[in-house]
Amino acid sequence: MGRTEYNDHFGRTVRYLYTGKGSVSMAEDKRVAKTKRNLKETMIELLQEMPFEKITVTELCRRGETSRITFYTYYEDKYALVNEMFADYIQEADQNYHDLQARNNPGGDGFIGYENLLECILQLFYNNIRFFSHSTPEENPYLFSVFFNHIFLSVDDYLQRHTGLAARYSTKEVAALLCNG
């Protein structure tokens, strides 16, 4: 179980809590996962058409053929939905990072690990381009803010743990490059 919390650029506290499975039956788990996946896919579809700020829970539910009651069973609001999407993406990138480390950096070299981290961030972006291409500061400031903070925290955490690395660019500059291209 892990917990991450930070304040985004809008002063909202963004929290993620990773837990194992509860006492929910496997059939119920599959239904919940399917509903959440549908809502996330619908959010991505809507982002192709309009900015995040204009997307309403009502429209999301209508397009996703999900009741508002069901939506609010799993999410407090649309921000909670995209925060969970970011948490899913970070978990995917983390798994890819550990796989890459096992393959090409078994000795734990800090520089190779940093390259692997950056590679996983870029791969995450390209694997989920339909979502991340709409996470720009001009189009969707909130999505950009959350994306930037995740990248910043990942890079900063890595550099903090590997103090022997002398970074040519600040963590903020690296995160800006990765988020803005």
Side-chain angles (χ1 to χ4, degrees):
M1 178 184 302
R3 183 180 180 88
T4 301
E5 178 176 308
Y6 66 89
N7 289 327
D8 65 21
H9 292 307
F10 298 100
R12 289 173 167 262
T13 300
V14 179
R15 293 182 184 97
Y16 301 108
L17 182 60
Y18 304 105
T19 60
K21 283 187 180 179
S23 59
V24 180
S25 72
M26 191 57 110
E28 209 168 12
D29 266 358
K30 287 181 181 182
R31 285 191 304 265
V32 169
K34 183 178 178 183
T35 299
K36 286 184 163 193
R37 186 172 48 252
N38 176 52
L39 289 167
K40 292 170 187 177
E41 289 169 3
T42 303
M43 175 60 79
I44 292 169
E45 288 172 19
L46 288 169
L47 284 169
Q48 310 311 303
E49 301 168 20
M50 65 185 79
F52 176 71
E53 293 302 325
K54 293 192 178 196
I55 296 172
T56 64
V57 171
T58 300
E59 180 63 12
L60 185 66
C61 291
R62 187 186 69 73
R63 290 279 289 275
E65 299 179 351
T66 303
S67 73
R68 287 171 50 91
I69 292 171
T70 299
F71 177 89
Y72 287 114
T73 298
Y74 303 118
Y75 303 106
E76 182 177 317
D77 54 22
K78 68 181 182 177
Y79 296 93
L81 169 62
V82 296
N83 288 339
E84 185 175 281
M85 292 171 73
F86 276 109
D88 293 346
Y89 293 140
I90 296 303
Q91 189 173 22
E92 174 187 333
D94 187 55
Q95 182 61 53
N96 291 341
Y97 171 77
H98 290 293
D99 293 347
L100 192 55
Q101 282 287 92
R103 274 197 317 273
N104 75 352
N105 193 17
D109 179 88
F111 184 75
I112 294 171
Y114 189 61
E115 286 180 333
N116 288 344
L117 174 67
L118 298 178
E119 172 68 27
C120 289
I121 291 169
L122 291 172
Q123 194 61 49
L124 176 71
F125 180 86
Y126 289 113
N127 287 349
N128 300 286
I129 192 84
R130 293 184 66 233
F131 178 79
F132 287 113
S133 64
H134 297 284
S135 297
T136 63
E138 300 80 23
E139 186 178 351
N140 290 303
Y142 179 78
L143 297 181
F144 176 79
S145 171
V146 176
F147 183 40
F148 182 88
N149 278 304
H150 277 298
I151 300 305
F152 179 85
L153 290 173
S154 296
V155 172
D156 191 54
D157 178 62
Y158 188 86
L159 291 175
Q160 295 280 337
R161 289 185 291 115
H162 297 84
T163 56
L165 290 178
R168 180 181 294 175
Y169 302 101
S170 73
T171 304
K172 196 172 192 175
E173 290 171 316
V174 172
L177 174 66
L178 291 170
C179 293
N180 292 318

